[in-house]
Amino acid sequence: MTSAHRNPDGAQGRGGTPLALLLLATSVGLRASNPARNDGPSFTDIVEHFKYGSIGAEENSGIPYWIWKVLPDVCESALPARAGSGYERIGFLSDGAAHGRPIGTSFRPGNGDRVGLNCATCHVGTLRESPDAARQVIVGMPANQMDLQGYGRFLTACAKSPAFETGRLIDAIRKANPEFGFFSRLAYRLFIVRAARNGILDRAKQNAWFDDRPAFGPGRVDTFNPYKVLLGVPMDTTVGTVDLPSIWQQRPREGLWLHWDGNNDRVEERNKSAAIGAGATPKSLDLPSMARIERWLLDFPPPAYPAARIDQSRASAGRAVYATACASCHDFGESAVGQVTPIDAIGTDRERLDSFTPALAAAMNTIGKGHPWKFSHFRKTGGYANMPLDGVWLRAPYLHNGSVPDLRSLLFPEERPATFYRAYDVYDWERVGFVSTGPDAEREGVRFDTSLRGNANTGHTYGTSLPTADKLALLEYLKTM
């Protein structure tokens, strides 16, 4: 969000308010608005830090905490029509921690006590073993519930509505926080609400390209079209929407070609570009915080598929099938893993590939100028990278755009549905993916249409011509990875 403008003559604040009073309101009021005196940008426990710590996104794109806190109540009609309440309807998750905010949000006191996004926004998901089972929060898997575009659209709709009115917001804040005192109210009334609204609407202008493309939906994001706006690269009509990735085991990925199209082979550059995509700037990046997370993720393993649900005899047979049909492209240490397969060979939807242009690659390599970490490894490719398959059972839906709901559908292309439902987190133990059809999925999930631009479920026919018994054995073996 943008901060309030300073008065050049130094004598009066807005509306004739003496500047000394304005500064007093700011310094006293903003301290008083701290939502949790023990909360902050950093945590000792690394998992807690990953889920709630800062990567530096608050300064540029954060929202004052108490405004952010009450928006789902003040603007409830602008929330997506999904299960849950408040920010749950956008896909934010809670694990019961006493931070007054969900997983994937960070907090930095001062300058409005802002809430921003962090790594966990995109890399913490959920799973239920059955419809009536408890929801498991799983760190490191794709954020299968999170609708990042829906979050932006909610904020924009709220900022444009009559509900985003100073008096109404302050009343809602006082209801949520009876200790929200006079100086806090004064600071909000004089400039914080206005600055927050202006910041949201400025960001909405940058995201106007949303309206020319199919919606992302939960668990997906267009990573690089926003960079065209940021870097002044001409915008085209391509759809760059892809599935959010898992982030386990980064050490063996060092030196592999990363992102779906293999456009960079430096884990550190990928991480910083993701943080900037989440709202940080080269100047505001919290490099020590990010370094802690990077070190931890080097050897952070994926959860294992429940052993009791694996047919070990069939999985053993599937190991040999995998070694012949899959390992050369998908096993760490093999020659083709992390390398790019040309689009004509893989045959998957090419929109994401086309969205990352040579001009954008050149512009990406200007980010960080003047910093020792300046980007230098972005490149344009001609296809999609062969990904390692660690924890593949939790990475559904499949293909780069998330257009195939489960691994069985990937191996049996005649079973790939034209439409299905994402973000329903009950697991399908037989098909290896999340349940994507039926009344429960339809009620709790979000419809995905493979006929829309960027959503095609074609291609990656490797292994599909195997005998059925071999495909079923391979499916069983993939559970063990």
Side-chain angles (χ1 to χ4, degrees):
M1 300 298 103
T2 56
S3 59
H5 298 295
R6 296 185 183 276
N7 192 310
D9 62 17
Q12 298 286 316
R14 284 181 173 165
T17 304
L19 186 58
L21 178 57
L22 191 61
L23 293 175
L24 179 63
T26 303
S27 62
V28 177
L30 299 191
R31 285 201 304 269
S33 69
N34 192 336
R37 288 175 174 79
N38 294 325
D39 205 355
S42 183
F43 298 87
T44 302
D45 179 80
I46 187 59
V47 177
E48 192 83 347
H49 182 69
F50 177 78
K51 291 192 287 188
Y52 296 101
S54 173
I55 57 174
E58 303 85 6
E59 178 181 342
N60 178 55
S61 60
I63 299 174
Y65 174 82
W66 283 112
I67 293 178
W68 179 88
K69 181 76 171 177
V70 302
L71 284 186
D73 295 324
V74 172
C75 301
E76 183 179 8
S77 62
L79 287 166
R82 292 177 60 188
S85 61
Y87 284 116
E88 288 179 321
R89 287 167 57 180
I90 293 170
F92 283 100
L93 307 174
S94 176
D95 61 0
H99 299 297
R101 51 191 171 83
I103 294 169
T105 58
S106 59
F107 171 76
R108 193 173 290 270
N111 194 23
D113 285 350
R114 300 182 185 196
V115 171
L117 303 180
N118 63 20
C119 304
T121 310
C122 298
H123 303 294
V124 176
T126 63
L127 175 146
R128 283 181 287 168
E129 295 189 358
S130 63
D132 57 352
R135 176 165 283 139
Q136 302 174 44
V137 174
I138 301 177
V139 173
M141 70 174 281
N144 55 349
Q145 302 298 314
M146 172 53 61
D147 186 350
L148 289 164
Q149 187 180 52
Y151 181 49
R153 289 192 182 282
F154 164 71
L155 295 177
T156 299
C158 196
K160 288 181 176 180
S161 79
F164 205 104
E165 186 273 324
T166 302
R168 184 169 179 177
L169 287 170
I170 289 176
D171 286 347
I173 293 169
R174 294 185 73 185
K175 182 177 179 180
N177 175 23
E179 297 181 4
F180 195 73
F182 169 78
F183 287 114
S184 294
R185 299 197 303 273
L186 181 60
Y188 271 60
R189 191 174 299 279
L190 289 175
F191 59 88
I192 291 179
V193 171
R194 182 189 302 113
R197 181 192 296 111
N198 291 343
I200 293 170
L201 296 180
D202 285 346
R203 182 58 60 93
K205 293 176 184 176
Q206 298 172 18
N207 292 335
W209 57 272
F210 279 1
D211 299 330
D212 299 327
R213 294 159 176 80
F216 299 176
R220 303 203 311 161
V221 68
D222 189 323
T223 305
F224 289 107
N225 271 322
Y227 271 109
K228 294 174 184 174
V229 178
L230 178 67
L231 298 171
V233 175
M235 179 61 73
D236 50 41
T237 61
T238 54
V239 176
T241 310
V242 293
D243 247 26
L244 296 170
S246 60
I247 54 169
W248 302 299
Q249 297 189 140
Q250 294 302 300
R251 190 183 302 279
R253 285 174 166 81
E254 292 182 323
L256 302 185
W257 288 103
L258 308 167
H259 291 134
W260 289 107
D261 61 343
N263 64 21
N264 196 300
D265 65 346
R266 293 295 186 271
V267 169
E268 295 81 4
E269 287 194 17
R270 183 210 55 194
N271 294 346
K272 290 180 178 65
S273 67
I276 292 170
T281 66
K283 183 179 178 181
S284 73
L285 285 171
D286 191 329
L287 297 179
S289 172
M290 293 183 62
R292 285 185 63 200
I293 294 169
E294 289 169 346
R295 289 191 298 270
W296 169 61
L297 290 175
L298 287 174
D299 302 300
F300 180 57
Y305 195 96
R309 294 183 178 272
I310 299 174
D311 182 328
Q312 298 295 340
S313 177
R314 179 176 281 181
S316 180
R319 181 191 297 271
V321 179
Y322 175 85
T324 301
C326 311
S328 63
C329 287
H330 294 296
D331 260 11
F332 288 120
E334 294 292 336
S335 59
V337 71
Q339 304 304 307
V340 172
T341 296
I343 186 63
D344 290 341
I346 195 168
T348 49
D349 191 301
R350 65 175 300 137
E351 285 272 347
R352 164 61 182 81
L353 171 64
D354 292 340
S355 76
F356 193 84
T357 62
L360 181 55
M364 292 294 294
N365 285 328
T366 69
I367 294 176
K369 184 178 181 180
H371 296 272
W373 51 262
K374 176 186 174 294
F375 293 172
S376 59
H377 287 81
F378 278 95
R379 64 170 189 168
K380 171 62 184 171
T381 74
Y384 293 113
N386 305 321
M387 299 294 180
L389 299 185
D390 48 332
V392 68
W393 71 283
L394 282 171
R395 288 152 64 174
Y398 298 100
L399 298 185
H400 71 276
N401 57 2
S403 59
V404 177
D406 49 62
L407 286 178
R408 182 182 169 99
S409 296
L410 196 65
L411 291 172
F412 293 82
E414 68 277 8
E415 297 182 16
R416 298 182 187 181
T419 62
F420 61 93
Y421 290 87
R422 295 178 56 114
Y424 181 58
D425 63 354
V426 173
Y427 205 77
D428 189 327
W429 302 101
E430 296 303 316
R431 301 190 66 87
V432 193
F434 293 95
V435 174
S436 59
T437 60
D440 291 339
E442 185 172 347
R443 183 179 62 256
E444 296 187 31
V446 176
R447 188 173 185 266
F448 185 91
D449 186 347
T450 63
S451 71
L452 298 178
R453 281 196 306 133
N455 286 4
N457 63 1
T458 55
H460 197 284
T461 57
Y462 308 104
T464 60
S465 61
L466 291 167
T468 296
D470 285 356
K471 288 194 283 188
L472 293 176
L474 175 58
L475 183 66
E476 202 70 19
Y477 176 70
L478 290 173
K479 296 175 182 179
T480 71
M481 300 191 70

